[in-house]
Amino acid sequence: PIWITFWATWCGPCRAEAADLEAMSRQLADTDVVHLAISLGEAGDVVRDYIDSGGYTWRTLLDPERRAGAAYAARVFPTHVFIDRNGFVAAIRPGILNRIQMEALVDQHLDLEAR
């Protein structure tokens, strides 16, 4: 199962959920869920500076031309996409999520298994 978060460093709501996103990413480290944070339309050095300054450890990918974002219709920052273990998109949630919402969506859509 995969949880994708489309975001940007300049996005206020993305910044607001960053601490909860980090906590969830750490919580999922002992599961088979892969969490990917995909930065849309930004340069690598900008994203790296943001990640380093915040002490974030989530897996970060760059989508400078926003192709992946377009494939998942990520028009709002942040947008969360949950892909089940069969490879199907189980849910797309645009907008900010708090920790409780993140946990509920992961539990509902990603069928957790311990490693």
Side-chain angles (χ1 to χ4, degrees):
I2 303 168
W3 169 19
I4 302 170
T5 303
F6 291 102
W7 68 288
T9 61
W10 51 261
C11 163
C14 301
R15 289 176 176 265
E17 77 175 10
D20 286 340
L21 202 60
E22 176 65 19
M24 277 300 298
S25 194
R26 288 175 186 257
Q27 181 178 325
L28 293 171
D30 292 331
T31 72
D32 64 346
V33 172
V34 174
H35 176 246
L36 301 172
I38 301 178
S39 173
L40 296 177
E42 297 188 282
D45 58 336
V46 172
V47 174
R48 190 175 313 104
D49 288 347
Y50 176 83
I51 295 294
D52 290 348
S53 69
Y56 303 122
T57 60
W58 59 65
R59 292 180 187 141
T60 304
L61 302 173
L62 302 176
D63 185 7
E65 296 177 10
R66 300 181 182 204
R67 289 183 182 151
Y72 289 99
R75 295 181 185 97
V76 173
F77 291 91
T79 292
H80 301 271
V81 178
F82 299 88
I83 302 171
D84 69 20
R85 63 183 65 256
N86 296 314
F88 295 103
V89 175
I92 297 177
R93 286 289 308 267
I96 190 172
L97 299 175
N98 63 38
R99 176 96 181 259
I100 293 169
Q101 293 168 316
M102 290 175 189
E103 288 175 350
L105 286 162
V106 166
D107 289 345
Q108 179 181 3
H109 297 295
L110 297 186
D111 186 27
L112 295 178
E113 290 183 7
R115 285 188 176 163

